[in-house]
Amino acid sequence: MSGNKEEEDPRINGIKTKIRVVPDFPKKGIMFQDITTVLLDPKAFKDTIDLFVERYRDKNISVVAGIEARGFIFGPPIALAIGAKFVPLRKPKKLPGETIFEEYELEYGNDRLEMHIGAVEAGDRALVVDDLIATGGTLCAAINLLERVGEEVVECACVIELPELKGRQRLKGKPLCMLVEYR
Amino acid sequence: MQTIISPLLVSHRLSLAPPVPRLLNNYHHRARPSIRLSSHRSTNSLRLFSSAIVAAAASRDSEMATEDVQDPRIAKIASSIRVIPDFPKPGIMFQDITTLLLDTEAFKDTIALFVERYKDKDISVVAGVEARGFIFGPPIALAIGAKFVPMRKPKKLPGKVISEEYSLEYGTDKIEMHVGAVEPGERAIIIDDLIATGGTLAAAIRLLERVGVKIVECACVIELPELKGKDKLGETPLFVLVSSA
């Protein structure tokens, strides 16, 4: 199954119209996709979650990994609805106890994503969730972390894709499911 | 004005740690181990119930003060929380809820306990404090049909924001919210995983009050009662599931 937009579902348009585009944030030239306005509309937020839950509930997913911080907003409701564990993937030094990390590139410099050791068991089927995929660097780091501990990453799920940044190609062959494209 | 909590609701309000040894959680001093003995339970339950009961206007029913009923889901939730010594620095016993999130039943029950409490209270706003408030807030908001409003560290929210400063042990920090996220007259709850000194929650309350929102309650999974965070919340009541003392 290659990643697909949820086609024709009438709920998609409702979600899309709720996303607010903020120009020049965090810096000039970037059109920031703000999902907080989706969260202010209970129906649009619920529809967003429902669309993912409907897709994943019969896929034997045992782990939903959410990327800090906006992945923490969408991941847990999906995890709860499909009966999966929720695993937060965090910026450095936030998780207590033993962690592993994966480095990834930013426009300037590097950053790291961390996960708890022992959070997941080898052989779990995992979903990675974030609000948006841009270059795919963070999602790629997330996939690497999960695979290093023996997880099977089934798919990446994002509300929004910026297809021109070709992040989809950075996912180590994993499919991407997104709801809304922004060109 | 204050929400009057009925005695029925109070019986769900469980704030006792389970009767297993739990290390004393003490953010600012050297940690020392402490066992919660069952003989202390009724005193603690009185104190904790009274801390959770609406202050000021609420009439305190004497039955409520002596009730010692624990929802069976609480023990499992409490035991799913992992305590990590010396994080983020020596002497601090960190309450790690990530292990709760790995226990699907405990996580589900945590959300259910909050949803049961708030679903008929006309709450239109669930405000969650970054970042662990983002984990618990949205499922509650979705279940009760409220908006979710993220309250974030500086410079994370795009567009127009209002901010509120609060004190840290050394220095200050800020919490921000979008302008226009909420409207005057809305009824809100504020969610975070844990209340320690209460500084962040107090700032969140101030922020919402500045725009005319009524904060019905602050809700946390865990309280560190020795840090007296509840005292910083003014008239706003606090509801917690687990008390770590």
Side-chain angles (χ1 to χ4, degrees):
Chain A
M1 148 188 48
S2 73
N4 264 318
K5 190 175 176 169
E6 294 299 307
E7 289 165 343
E8 312 295 341
D9 191 299
R11 291 170 287 183
I12 297 273
N13 196 57
I15 296 164
K16 185 177 180 122
T17 57
K18 290 294 174 184
I19 297 166
R20 176 171 74 148
V21 180
V22 182
D24 301 322
F25 184 89
K27 50 184 201 185
K28 271 198 151 344
I30 296 185
M31 303 295 279
F32 188 89
Q33 304 289 312
D34 181 18
I35 47 87
T36 65
T37 38
V38 176
L39 311 176
L40 296 180
D41 181 332
K43 181 177 186 320
F45 188 17
K46 182 174 176 308
D47 286 347
T48 305
I49 300 301
D50 285 349
L51 281 160
F52 288 123
V53 169
E54 286 160 22
R55 183 180 180 80
Y56 296 117
R57 92 172 123 220
D58 298 320
K59 300 249 179 341
N60 253 11
I61 307 280
S62 47
V63 169
V64 173
I67 297 180
E68 170 164 18
R70 290 182 289 263
F72 287 9
I73 296 175
F74 297 98
I78 297 169
L80 285 160
I82 68 176
K85 308 178 200 179
F86 178 72
V87 174
L89 302 181
R90 298 208 69 172
K91 304 271 184 212
K93 302 202 177 82
K94 303 292 186 77
L95 289 170
E98 274 189 283
T99 58
I100 52 172
F101 71 87
E102 189 73 25
E103 252 183 28
Y104 61 99
E105 276 178 28
L106 299 171
E107 197 178 3
Y108 302 107
N110 288 341
D111 204 345
R112 278 186 185 184
L113 201 60
E114 290 187 351
M115 181 173 82
H116 268 141
I117 286 175
V120 294
E121 287 152 18
D124 275 326
R125 284 164 56 80
L127 195 61
V128 184
V129 175
D130 207 354
D131 66 323
L132 178 146
I133 174 173
T135 61
T138 326
L139 281 168
C140 182
I143 294 167
N144 282 334
L145 274 175
L146 290 161
E147 288 190 331
R148 272 165 62 189
V149 295
E151 298 297 87
E152 180 196 343
V153 177
V154 172
E155 199 158 89
C156 293
C158 301
V159 180
I160 303 165
E161 180 187 12
L162 307 180
E164 281 156 11
L165 297 178
K166 303 197 197 322
R168 202 184 268 263
Q169 296 169 11
R170 287 275 229 342
L171 304 181
K172 304 184 70 179
K174 304 298 177 186
L176 170 74
C177 169
M178 57 81 195
L179 304 183
V180 172
E181 263 184 12
Y182 183 79
R183 291 185 177 275
Chain B
M1 297 301 359
Q2 304 289 0
T3 307
I4 305 297
I5 310 281
S6 75
L8 269 179
L9 221 44
V10 170
S11 70
H12 285 309
R13 198 189 328 237
L14 27 165
S15 1
L16 295 174
V20 294
R22 289 193 71 80
L23 295 168
L24 186 70
N25 201 323
N26 200 330
Y27 268 48
H28 298 290
H29 307 285
R30 282 191 61 216
R32 50 193 199 278
S34 150
I35 310 265
R36 282 183 74 70
L37 301 173
S38 50
S39 61
H40 289 311
R41 278 186 72 176
S42 56
T43 316
N44 284 330
S45 68
L46 275 175
R47 203 171 62 220
L48 291 165
F49 276 131
S50 62
S51 76
I53 288 170
V54 174
S59 59
R60 196 163 299 175
D61 185 341
S62 59
E63 280 173 25
M64 298 198 295
T66 55
E67 214 156 354
D68 189 2
V69 179
Q70 175 141 318
D71 187 298
R73 293 170 285 184
I74 292 283
K76 187 169 176 28
I77 290 167
S79 65
S80 72
I81 297 164
R82 175 170 74 153
V83 180
I84 306 254
D86 301 322
F87 183 89
K89 51 184 199 187
I92 296 185
M93 303 299 282
F94 188 88
Q95 304 286 316
D96 182 17
I97 48 88
T98 65
T99 40
L100 185 165
L101 308 176
L102 296 178
D103 181 332
T104 50
E105 214 175 281
F107 188 17
K108 184 158 136 330
D109 287 347
T110 302
I111 299 302
L113 281 159
F114 290 123
V115 170
E116 286 161 22
R117 183 179 182 77
Y118 296 117
K119 66 175 186 257
D120 297 319
K121 299 262 180 325
D122 258 312
I123 307 285
S124 57
V125 174
V126 173
V129 179
E130 168 164 21
R132 291 183 289 262
F134 288 8
I135 296 174
F136 296 98
I140 298 168
L142 286 159
I144 69 175
K147 314 177 188 175
F148 178 70
V149 175
M151 308 197 84
R152 299 209 68 173
K153 304 274 183 203
K155 301 205 176 85
K156 304 290 187 79
L157 290 170
K160 285 200 166 127
V161 297
I162 53 171
S163 58
E164 185 71 33
E165 224 175 54
Y166 61 100
S167 299
L168 298 171
E169 194 176 7
Y170 302 106
T172 60
D173 204 345
K174 269 191 193 177
I175 190 173
E176 293 187 341
M177 181 174 77
H178 269 138
V179 169
V182 295
E183 281 160 39
E186 292 208 77
R187 288 164 55 80
I189 55 173
I190 306 175
I191 308 282
D192 206 352
D193 65 322
L194 178 146
I195 175 172
T197 62
T200 324
L201 280 171
I205 291 169
R206 290 197 296 274
L207 204 49
L208 286 163
E209 286 185 337
R210 273 165 57 189
V211 291
V213 168
K214 161 76 180 168
I215 296 99
V216 171
E217 201 156 77
C218 288
C220 302
V221 181
I222 304 163
E223 178 190 17
L224 307 180
E226 302 219 338
L227 298 179
K228 302 195 194 319
K230 188 184 67 63
D231 296 347
K232 286 234 183 63
L233 306 185
E235 303 235 309
T236 305
L238 171 70
F239 175 69
V240 302
L241 301 183
V242 172
S243 185
S244 179

